[in-house]
Amino acid sequence: MNTIKYEKSNLHIFSLHIVSLLIGSAIYILFRTSTLKIFSWFEAIGINVIESNLRKKSVLISQYFPDWFLYSLPDGLWIFSYVCLMLSIWRKSISKQNTFWISIVPLVAIGSEILQFFGLVQGTFDMVDVLCYLIGFFLPFLILNKSINYKF
């Protein structure tokens, strides 16, 4: 009985990973400019996303979404997805050994924004990106707080 409850609990967090990954990807694919590298990758494997009817319609309404939704939210959702995946892999058990793996991607994302601020990495610093990264990093812990097993 405990095994079934435990597996359902782990399936819940894995579902959060999948849903946030798909929503972030859908925003990116449906609303972002077709000059992004991902569209050439799709084309290279024979998928023409740019010419799809769904994308043509979604691009028309993209002007009604705020910039943070189009440009920062997908990254925050991907960070959220990554943290959920890591928590799922370690079955919501956090230790000194796996803290590095859980936090490496969010730290690299935040670090790249900071380096952009100082002109050390190409790109434009955006505080909204940093905020979305931080929310994406901490939200899984807030949502799952009572079920996470901290082993420090």
Side-chain angles (χ1 to χ4, degrees):
M1 181 90 159
N2 284 342
T3 304
I4 292 170
K5 182 179 177 184
Y6 183 77
E7 292 304 322
K8 283 183 181 178
S9 174
N10 204 40
L11 181 60
H12 173 257
I13 191 164
F14 188 76
S15 298
L16 289 173
H17 152 67
I18 294 295
V19 169
S20 57
L21 179 67
L22 291 175
I23 293 171
S25 298
I27 292 169
Y28 212 79
I29 292 167
L30 292 175
F31 301 113
R32 296 291 298 272
T33 179
S34 62
T35 58
L36 295 173
K37 194 72 170 161
I38 192 167
F39 293 106
S40 63
W41 295 344
F42 278 130
E43 197 172 306
I45 60 171
I47 301 172
N48 191 350
V49 176
I50 296 169
E51 294 300 319
S52 74
N53 287 332
L54 181 59
R55 175 158 166 84
K56 287 179 181 177
K57 290 176 183 175
S58 64
V59 169
L60 294 175
I61 63 167
S62 67
Q63 64 186 339
Y64 299 107
F65 291 108
D67 285 349
W68 66 266
F69 180 89
L70 297 172
Y71 301 108
S72 301
L73 181 60
D75 296 337
L77 287 167
W78 291 331
I79 294 293
F80 178 88
S81 175
Y82 172 80
V83 173
C84 287
L85 176 63
M86 293 295 104
L87 290 173
S88 176
I89 288 170
W90 279 294
R91 296 192 157 109
K92 293 184 273 184
S93 181
I94 300 175
S95 66
K96 290 178 188 175
Q97 293 78 18
N98 66 14
T99 300
F100 170 80
W101 296 109
I102 293 170
S103 60
I104 186 67
V105 169
L107 290 175
V108 167
I110 293 166
S112 71
E113 283 294 323
I114 292 168
L115 293 173
Q116 287 174 17
F117 178 78
F118 291 107
L120 300 172
V121 171
Q122 186 178 16
T124 303
F125 172 79
D126 188 345
M127 192 61 199
V128 178
D129 285 352
V130 173
L131 184 61
C132 284
Y133 293 149
L134 289 170
I135 292 170
F137 178 63
F138 287 112
L139 194 57
F141 297 103
L142 294 172
I143 291 171
L144 302 164
N145 184 36
K146 293 182 179 180
S147 63
I148 293 176
N149 181 13
Y150 295 95
K151 297 180 179 179
F152 289 103

